Amino acid sequence: MPAVPGPARDGGRIGRLPARRRRDGGAVATVTAGLDLGRVHVDVPVVLAPMAGVTNVAFRRLCAEQGAGLYVCEMITSRGLVENDRVSLSMLTFAEGEQVRSVQLYGIDPETVGKAVEILCADHGVDHVDLNFGCPVPKITRKGGGSALPWKATLLGQILTEAVRAAEPYGVPVTMKTRKGIDEDHLTYLDAGRIAQDTGCAAIALHGRTAAQHYSGQADWNAIGELKAAVDIPVLGNGDIWEAADALAMVEQTGCDGVVVGRGCLGRPWLFRDLAAAFEGRTVATLPNLGEVTAVMRRHAQLLGEWLGEERGCVEFRKHVAWYLKGFPAGSSVRERLGHVSSYRALDELLEDLDPDVPFPVSELGVPRGRQGSPRKVVLPEGWLDSREMVGALDAAAEDAVSGG
């Protein structure tokens, strides 16, 4: 099934792509030209953000069936890859039709990151490597990893240098993702952008929140615009893209070269269909009825089953049920039973009980999805903020349980 069945519904939320001009008044190419990351060309300047336990091969294929974009594999730790960790290697699974093999890598040691990048390029045929410096999880930041690491500017440069050096013989572009900084008093994104540019990165993506914000509040799109003005490499904006119209607004307001979409597509893989249409200047907003949503749910479960086997695939699918049915009057009993399915037959029986003609809940448009949390103080190693230089070595535990950012 290449897309949501049935005609797309115009929800009136998406207009034609506005023309953009440089700050000096000169014309610029429209975003419909796509996105170039080194030798990798993406027809639609949209990137699926890696999400732990979500952006596996099945979900990436489901999203790609909706529209063009760059679909990035779940994040893998460099140490796990170098040490041939079974779980890490199992995540390096790609669909037959996955033309661009894109992987997000996380690491804290320059040498280990370099080795991991070479493994990805030489042994797994990866076409693009993204390095993550955005994880706000306390057990990571307290060791100096994740979104805390860019504070150590020299170390950040060393990691990026080793990654680019290892990828260069294979012609594989390296990009990085970061947050604004640790908190509003310790911002790092402009320095990170300059370091990324100086070390040869093909692009930088900025989540417009600090580590202290986690996923709460509003993303600061102004910071994305400031970063775009400060560097010459492509800048990708991330944060609060819930509908295709939001992506157009971000590009228009910040001048960024593309967008990174994370939580907005949870339970809504057809968002990539809307994004592709919007960047082509077409007025399309997909508002599938419940029958169309259940068809996508079944397709998702099938793809998971092809990868993991029917039972494991259905178990893995359970986490997606609440996202797909968000706002629909499906009933608590059906939702609960869907959260325990372990076979296609059980899934089909429950999905058939839902009224296929129920319209999409428009109240769910433009609102946050997935985790949000609340602002909190970032836990850091003792004396971490005293200097931008790294003294000693980071604790290897900083690579444990990383979840993106």
Side-chain angles (χ1 to χ4, degrees):
M1 184 184 66
V4 175
R9 293 166 172 78
D10 186 354
R13 296 179 55 82
I14 299 176
R16 295 187 66 83
L17 179 66
R20 292 196 292 127
R21 304 185 72 83
R22 294 197 306 261
R23 287 181 171 80
D24 61 7
V28 297
T30 64
V31 290
T32 52
L35 175 68
D36 288 308
L37 304 174
R39 70 176 186 181
V40 174
H41 176 76
V42 186
D43 289 336
V44 178
V46 173
V47 179
L48 168 65
M51 291 178 280
V54 175
T55 56
N56 50 47
V57 62
F59 188 74
R60 297 197 309 274
R61 182 174 175 184
L62 185 70
C63 293
E65 289 176 350
Q66 301 296 324
L70 181 64
Y71 298 99
V72 188
C73 177
E74 290 179 88
M75 186 172 58
I76 300 172
T77 67
S78 58
R79 194 176 78 233
L81 197 58
V82 171
E83 295 177 355
N84 288 310
D85 175 68
R86 180 180 57 82
V87 175
S88 298
L89 292 174
S90 70
M91 295 164 65
L92 282 173
T93 304
F94 301 95
E96 288 185 7
E98 207 159 356
Q99 296 182 348
V100 178
R101 295 188 170 194
S102 175
V103 175
Q104 188 177 78
L105 188 66
Y106 171 73
I108 59 172
D109 175 66
E111 183 179 355
T112 305
V113 169
K115 290 179 180 178
V117 170
E118 185 167 8
I119 290 171
L120 288 174
C121 297
D123 300 342
H124 298 278
V126 166
D127 302 294
H128 163 242
V129 175
D130 183 55
L131 296 179
N132 184 293
F133 299 99
C135 179
V137 174
K139 67 171 62 178
I140 302 303
T141 60
R142 70 162 45 96
K143 302 292 184 180
S147 52
L149 192 145
W151 181 254
K152 302 301 184 181
T154 300
L155 176 60
L156 175 64
Q158 291 170 342
I159 293 173
L160 294 177
T161 296
E162 287 301 309
V164 171
R165 180 198 58 75
E168 188 173 14
Y170 303 92
V172 172
V174 173
T175 60
M176 71 166 285
K177 181 184 179 183
T178 190
R179 285 181 173 241
K180 286 176 58 181
I182 293 172
D183 53 37
E184 291 296 336
D185 294 323
H186 301 90
L187 300 177
T188 56
Y189 65 100
L190 293 178
D191 287 337
R194 297 185 188 102
I195 293 170
Q197 178 171 291
D198 291 345
T199 55
C201 287
I204 180 171
L206 176 62
H207 184 160
R209 287 181 171 87
T210 63
Q213 285 180 272
H214 279 238
Y215 297 90
S216 66
Q218 285 189 316
D220 181 4
W221 289 6
N222 289 332
I224 298 171
E226 291 170 2
L227 180 58
K228 174 60 183 174
V231 299
D232 296 325
I233 59 175
V235 171
L236 306 177
N238 179 216
D240 294 351
I241 296 179
W242 311 115
E243 309 296 335
D246 298 326
L248 298 189
M250 178 184 280
V251 171
E252 173 66 11
Q253 292 177 30
T254 70
C256 67
D257 301 278
V259 298
V260 179
V261 178
R263 294 173 295 154
C265 70
L266 294 175
R268 300 173 64 217
W270 54 83
L271 177 59
F272 292 98
R273 174 182 178 177
D274 292 351
L275 287 162
F279 279 113
E280 292 171 0
R282 293 185 284 115
T283 55
V284 176
T286 304
L287 297 179
N289 60 28
L290 187 51
E292 293 167 341
V293 170
T294 59
V296 177
M297 293 172 70
R298 185 61 174 81
R299 174 62 173 162
H300 193 169
Q302 176 189 341
L303 290 172
L304 284 166
E306 291 177 4
W307 175 42
L308 299 170
E310 181 177 339
E311 182 175 359
R312 280 193 60 201
C314 287
V315 171
E316 181 68 21
F317 175 73
R318 294 172 184 174
K319 72 178 71 171
H320 297 271
V321 170
W323 292 325
Y324 277 114
L325 297 182
K326 193 171 187 294
F328 281 106
S332 58
S333 176
V334 173
R335 291 172 188 268
E336 182 179 359
R337 284 182 288 163
L338 281 169
H340 292 85
V341 294
S342 57
S343 70
Y344 293 150
R345 178 177 179 180
L347 177 61
D348 290 340
E349 289 175 352
L350 289 169
L351 293 180
E352 287 172 2
D353 286 341
L354 299 175
D355 182 354
D357 296 323
V358 173
F360 189 88
V362 293
S363 61
E364 295 300 324
L365 294 174
V367 299
R369 304 176 71 83
R371 58 186 173 181
Q372 296 178 58
S374 57
R376 67 189 75 174
K377 183 177 180 180
V378 182
V379 183
L380 299 165
E382 184 177 356
W384 188 255
L385 297 177
D386 294 345
S387 171
R388 298 295 301 272
E389 296 300 320
M390 186 69 204
V391 178
L394 283 180
D395 189 332
E399 284 199 28
D400 296 338
V402 182
S403 63

